[in-house]
Every structure is written in C-alpha cells, then in structure tokens.
Amino acid sequence: MSTLLEVSGVSVSFDGFKAINNLSFQIGKAELRAIIGPNGAGKTTFMDIVTGKTRPDEGRILWGGKNRSLLAMSEARIAREGIGRKFQKPTVFEDQTVRENLLMALKNDRGPLAVLFYRPSAADLQRVVDLAEEIGLQDHLARKSGELSHGQKQWLEIGMLLAQEPRLLLVDEPAAGMTPEEREHTTALLVEAARTRAVVVVEHDMEFVRRLDCRVTVLHEGSVLAEGSLDHVTANQKVIDVYLGR
Amino acid sequence: MLDAAKDPSSGHGYLDGLGAEPTTGRRGDAPKPLIVRNPSILVFLTALALFTLTVTVLSEAVGPGLISTSFVKTLGKTLCLCLVAIAMDLVWGYCGILSLGHFAFFGLGGYMIGMWLMYERTRDIVATAMAEAPIPPTDAEIVDAIGTQIFGVVGSSEFPLVWAFADSLAIQLALVVLVPGVLALVFGWLAFRSRVTGVYLSILTQAMTLALALYLFQNDSGLRGNNGLSGLQNLPGVAAPQSVVSLWFFWASAAALGLGYLLAAWLVSGKFGSVIRGIRDNEARVRFLGYSVEGYKLFIFAVTAMIAGIAGALYYPQAGIINPAEIAPIASIYLAVWVAIGGRGRLYGAVIGAAFVSLVSSWFTGGQAPDLPLGFYTVKWVDWWLIVLGLSFVLVTLFAPRGIGGLVDLWTERRAPDRHGADLGPDPGALREQEATE
Ligand SMILES: Nc1ncnc2c1ncn2[C@@H]1O[C@H](COP(=O)(O)OP(=O)(O)OP(=O)(O)O)[C@@H](O)[C@H]1O
Ligand SMILES: [Mg+2]
C-alpha cells in the first residue's frame, strides 16, 4: 500500500515540555486508523502539526505521491492540498444555515474574487443535498446550525469535511457527547469515508474504536507506544500500564 | 470586545428561497435577484430617494427654503457619514476587524479632492488678479503666484511633490480611492500577515491614524499643516450660488450612499459574505477550510478604505475645510460608536447609527439644545453630551448588542417561524466557541 502521509522524527516542545517526542507515523491512501492515548498524550498536537497550526521543532512531514513537505505550507494551503480536519469541539458557523456551512466547505475555488462572483450551480446544490442526506441533516438544510443538537453539529462538521473532498481526514473525538445511536451513525460515516480516502480518528472511547475495526496507534507522552489491531495493542503490557490500567 | 447576541446579517443569505426539503424539485433553481431576496435594500433605497426629494423640494434653491442651505450641507455631510459607517460595518460588523482607523481613509479622500478644489480656485483668483497687469503673466508666473497664495501660511511658495497632479481633476479623483486603498493594502498586509488580531489590531489602526494626523500637522507635510485646506465649498469655474452647489453635493452624497449600500449588500450576500462572517466568528476554522483568511481581510479592508475615501471626498467640499484634526484618532472611535449604537452586522443599522448619533451630536454640541437646570446644577449639553454618548455606548453594548437596528427584529421575528427551544441534544453545545482549545 502506498503511503499518503509520512511523519518522521517529529518533535515539538512548549516551554520546554516535550508534547511530541520523536514521533513517526505513516498512513496509506485509503486507510482507516484510530489513535488512542491518555489525556495529554499529544493526539491533538499531532493534528496541529500535520495541519500546519503548530510548527515542529524538528522532523519531516511528507505528503502525497510526490513526497512534498508540508512544513513550508500555510494552514489554508495544506487544507487545499487535501487535508481536512474536524476539531475536538464542534466548530461550525453557528450563525449560518446548514446549507451555507456545507456550501462554504464544498470543494471550489477559494480565492476572494472567485468566491465573490460564485453562484451555486445546480450540481453544487445537489451535492449539498446528498451530503446532508449522508449526515442525516437533509431536513435541516435551511436551519441555522447554531440551533442543531450537539451531535448534529458534529455530523455537520464531518459533512463539511467530506464536502472538501480531502484525501486525508483528521477527526478529533467525533463521538464525544453523542448518544449511542448517534455514535453508530458516526462510525458508519467514517468507515464509509475511509473506503476512498485516508481517515485518522482520535477517540477515547474503546467501544467506538472497536466498532471502527481498524489498525490502532497508541500515543503516549508524544510518541508511539504500540501499533496494530485493537486486540493486539490492548494485550500489550506497556499499553495496559499507561492507559488501560490507570 | 462585543458579543453579538444573534447575528442579523445572515438573515437574507444567497440561498434563501431554497426549501429545506430536498425533494421539492426547487433545489436547482437559480437564486432570486438580490433585491428580491433582501427587501431591506428596497426599503432603504426608497427611503433615501424620498428623503432626497423632500430635501430638494424644501431647499432654498428649488423650493420655499424651509431647509436652509447650511442645513442642506449638514444633511449632505450626514449622508457621507452614513456611507463611511457602512464601510465600518463591513469591516467590523461583518468581517470582525475592529478597525479604529477608517476615518484616516475618510480624511485622505477629503484631502485628495481638496487639493484640486483649492488649486483650481486659487488659480482662478490669481489669473483674474493678474489679468489686469499690463503685461500678460506667463504660465510659470501664474503657478508661482498660486504657490505663494496656497503655501504662504506655512512660509513657503514651492509646490511640494504631493501637489504634482493637483491641476488634474481626473487624477485627483483617482487618488481619492487609490491613496486610501494603497495605504490600507500596505498596512493591512503588514498587520494581517503577522496575524495581528483583536484589540492589538485596533490599537495598531489607532497608531496609524495618529501617525498620519501628526504628520499632516507638520508644516512641511506639504498639505499646509494645521491650516489644512480651505475654501473647498467653492466649485472652480462654477458661478452657481452656494444654495445650488450645496444641492448638487447633497445629490451626489445621496447617490454615493445608495450605490455604496447596494455594493455592500451585494458583497455580504453571497458566499463571500458567508466566508467573511465565518472569519468574524471563527477565523481558524475558515483557514482550515482552505480559505486564505489574510487575503479576505486584506480585500475587505482595502475596499472599505476606498469607500471611506469616496465618502470623505464628498464630505469635505460640503464642510468647506479640512485639517488634520479631522483625522484625530477619536474620530475613528466615534465611527465605531455610531455603528455599535445603530447595530452591527446589518447595513441599515450602520446608517441609522451614523445619521442619528451625528445629527443629535451636532444638535447638542452646536449649542441649540436648551440647558437643563437641575436647581443645584445646570447641565450644559455642550459639555455633557460626550458623557451621555459614552454612557449610551456602554449601555447599548451591555444591554442591547443589536443596537437601534435591532428594533426591526421585534417586528420581523414575530413573523418568522419560532425556532427557539430546539433540541440541543445531550449537551448544550458551544455557541460560537473559540477555535477548539484541544
Ligand atoms: N499551545 C500549547 N502550549 C503549551 N502546551 C500545549 C499546547 N498545546 C498542547 N500543549 C500540551 O501538550 C500536551 C499534549 O496536548 P494534546 O492536546 O495534544 O493532548 P491530547 O492527546 O489531545 O489530549 P486530550 O485527550 O485531553 O485531548 C498537553 O500536556 C498540553 O497541555
Ligand atoms: Mg485532544
């Protein structure tokens, strides 16, 4: 399987505290991967680094078939390169309708002038409707997203990610605050998305990770502690010590 | 600084009219024209046209003179202030950049047109005076004489470089938008590129206006120091009386305000409006969607600076004089106060705020307001008005963040479907959360 993203030897410290310590990580073109780890393990910081929010002190991040470095790119550029991100807290534009949120995310020219003269085409509107159906918000297109429930906001954010048509999705704790049924729907969404692209899911909930049924990477103190199937890593003594057995 | 309770600006999105139901078959319809989608535009333009007509009919030049020429000028100036308030609302109310420097752009627009007005008028005067001399003056002599006339007050007679094009109306008109636009681009590029936001950006814009004002105060700035430019109310080569000229400027101001309102409404109506409101509410999220936030901010900052320049270029010929005190930092702060009181994030709010507060201001500070005897103390409005204004600003900020324009919601929301009490799910969610803190 060819590699889509390759992170190697990355370290970053905040005021002397090493949040990420010589981390190496790879993901293939159409792969679902779960990242678990105790609070403060550096999971979110890892996403910050890949999406350009945080600059690593050292290390390389190579992207795509041509192995280009992400380090010199701005956040917006990285997003346009095809890396989408869902934040830990749902962050949608609450003052705007679900449709406006999705249209803003839809893969289209992002330049100010192109956006100024943009009129949604029939195909774009159809795509939005399809996406809304996928995330179960087809009846809420005209509602302000601020009025949605917490879980619906999470889905809307996932929908916005899909609208971007990214090649890599970074999803930070998508199931937080969701009811069991909502979780199930979320699992289905992520598994479906991972059929055509790479998806990295950070999640605390073991049951959720189990249902994703994918390779798991355990982070601890900023580096990889173990990697493999869920059963494999949960059997690992080190993992039990730092995470499961706490 | 201020938290909008509820955003009115998104009420008339470019997608209105598209049903919530995916199966109605309307989803492919082309969006309706802007004016149909956003009835407040039509209401505003109609009101503006009626107002213009009324003032014209009652003016000294056309009608019975119930509205004096000086009041026509006051009203015309107010329209210009409304226009710059719209610019402020775009940049602050919609894009979330609390610029406290837009009056600098306004002043620069005034200076640019003022240079032509003063140059041409002085040339008329000088040429008339010299025509009586036995030997006809050469062009160089006339230019020298103009220089002496204009720059005598600052002890000079040389034309500074900035006056190079003062004899060309076309070029000075272009400079009305170019100078503010380029200054905004340079300033904005430096500030936005370094991700200066929030209160730091506001302070930076204040520093910019202050620096500009201090520079213009100097005699060798080339713009007559603290004397400023004067006699701007006279149109060179036009014999019409002030009562007529004032009406012309009033009409021009009304037209500019109408066009500015339309332009602004168009800017904020489509996906572009969506993106800049997104920047206001959660800049980082927009960035991670792949939009270059800096580019958008720069665009809106420069466009609004140009609108401010045009407003200034129409204002100062009606005021008759411009000097560096006009650009003082406090002027830009007033601008923010008007928009806040009128209601941010809605264009008519900015207009209402600017018109109401500036007219009431000039009533109180002009000495027309009767003093208020309290027995033990007499309230002199000239002194107390600023305190009242400051207090209203604080009160509006705290208790009515939607401003005067929010009163409109009392009426429209009664007719809109009530969506309050929608299920918030297992937890209340995060209303306009800062970017996820991780
Ligand atoms: N900008 C920052 N400045 C200083 N310290 C930071 C910063 N960002 C993260 N950290 C620290 O780095 C460590 C890793 O944080 P991170 O948010 O990546 O953890 P996490 O694995 O996402 O945890 P959680 O499961 O709680 O979300 C934490 O100790 C955190 O306090
Ligand atoms: Mg985290």
Side-chain angles (χ1 to χ4, degrees), chain B residues 56-111:
Chain B
T56 306
V57 168
L58 297 179
S59 71
E60 282 178 22
V62 175
L66 284 179
I67 297 181
S68 70
T69 296
S70 82
F71 197 56
V72 169
K73 288 184 180 180
T74 303
L75 293 175
K77 285 190 290 181
T78 306
L79 294 179
C80 299
L81 296 179
C82 292
L83 182 57
V84 70
I86 286 180
M88 181 68 189
D89 199 19
L90 276 179
V91 78
W92 181 33
Y94 284 88
C95 199
I97 307 167
L98 176 50
S99 161
L100 296 178
H102 265 59
F103 237 78
F105 304 128
F106 184 86
L108 280 174
Y111 264 106

Side-chain angles (χ1 to χ4, degrees), chain A residues 44 80 94-96 104 110 177, chain B residues 274 289-291 430 432 438:
Chain A
T44 301
R80 289 198 296 270
E94 312 233 338
D95 280 329
Q96 306 196 30
M104 217 194 297
R110 298 309 207 209
Chain B
S274 224
L289 279 178
Y291 292 94
R432 195 177 305 156
E438 281 102 13

Side-chain angles (χ1 to χ4, degrees), chain A residues 44 88 172-173, chain B residues 438:
Chain A
T44 301
Q88 196 161 342
D172 206 347
E173 305 206 11
Chain B
E438 281 102 13

Side-chain angles (χ1 to χ4, degrees), chain A residues 73-104:
Chain A
M73 298 182 194
S74 68
E75 295 102 307
R77 179 72 205 288
I78 291 175
R80 289 198 296 270
E81 281 288 318
I83 299 184
R85 173 172 186 185
K86 191 205 144 317
F87 289 88
Q88 196 161 342
K89 284 185 194 155
T91 40
V92 295
F93 301 104
E94 312 233 338
D95 280 329
Q96 306 196 30
T97 61
V98 170
R99 186 184 270 114
E100 281 173 312
N101 270 282
L102 287 171
L103 263 175
M104 217 194 297

Side-chain angles (χ1 to χ4, degrees), chain A residues 14-15 17 19 37-46 88 173 204, chain B residues 438:
Chain A
F14 300 111
D15 312 318
F17 169 73
N39 289 110
K43 306 179 296 289
T44 301
T45 309
F46 162 73
Q88 196 161 342
E173 305 206 11
H204 273 298
Chain B
E438 281 102 13

Side-chain angles (χ1 to χ4, degrees), chain B residues 92-268:
Chain B
W92 181 33
Y94 284 88
C95 199
I97 307 167
L98 176 50
S99 161
L100 296 178
H102 265 59
F103 237 78
F105 304 128
F106 184 86
L108 280 174
Y111 264 106
M112 289 307 128
I113 198 65
M115 286 158 76
W116 178 78
L117 286 169
M118 193 157 180
Y119 182 93
E120 283 300 306
R121 183 172 129 81
T122 313
R123 199 185 60 173
D124 280 357
I125 294 171
V126 167
T128 319
M130 289 172 99
E132 279 142 35
I135 309 158
T138 63
D139 283 352
E141 279 171 339
I142 292 187
V143 172
D144 278 350
I146 302 172
T148 316
Q149 272 283 325
I150 295 183
F151 299 107
V153 286
V154 288
S156 163
S157 62
E158 293 287 299
F159 269 100
L161 206 58
V162 289
W163 287 73
F165 305 109
D167 58 342
S168 159
L169 176 60
I171 295 183
Q172 289 301 133
L173 280 178
L175 290 179
V176 163
V177 289
L178 287 180
V179 169
V182 168
L183 176 63
L185 275 181
V186 172
F187 176 87
W189 187 73
L190 291 171
F192 300 140
R193 191 192 49 145
S194 337
R195 303 255 168 109
V196 182
T197 53
V199 72
Y200 299 101
L201 187 90
S202 305
I203 292 172
L204 218 55
T205 53
Q206 280 274 283
M208 176 194 76
T209 34
L210 183 62
L212 188 66
L214 291 180
Y215 174 71
L216 290 175
F217 265 121
Q218 293 179 346
N219 279 346
D220 52 10
S221 68
L223 290 164
R224 306 196 347 141
N226 61 351
N227 306 287
L229 309 180
S230 53
L232 310 183
Q233 70 277 23
N234 304 296
L235 275 184
V238 171
Q242 276 298 305
S243 58
V244 174
V245 174
S246 67
L247 214 49
W248 291 348
F249 271 104
F250 177 79
W251 290 337
S253 307
L257 178 58
L259 288 175
Y261 195 94
L262 267 178
L263 173 74
W266 176 69
L267 275 177
V268 302

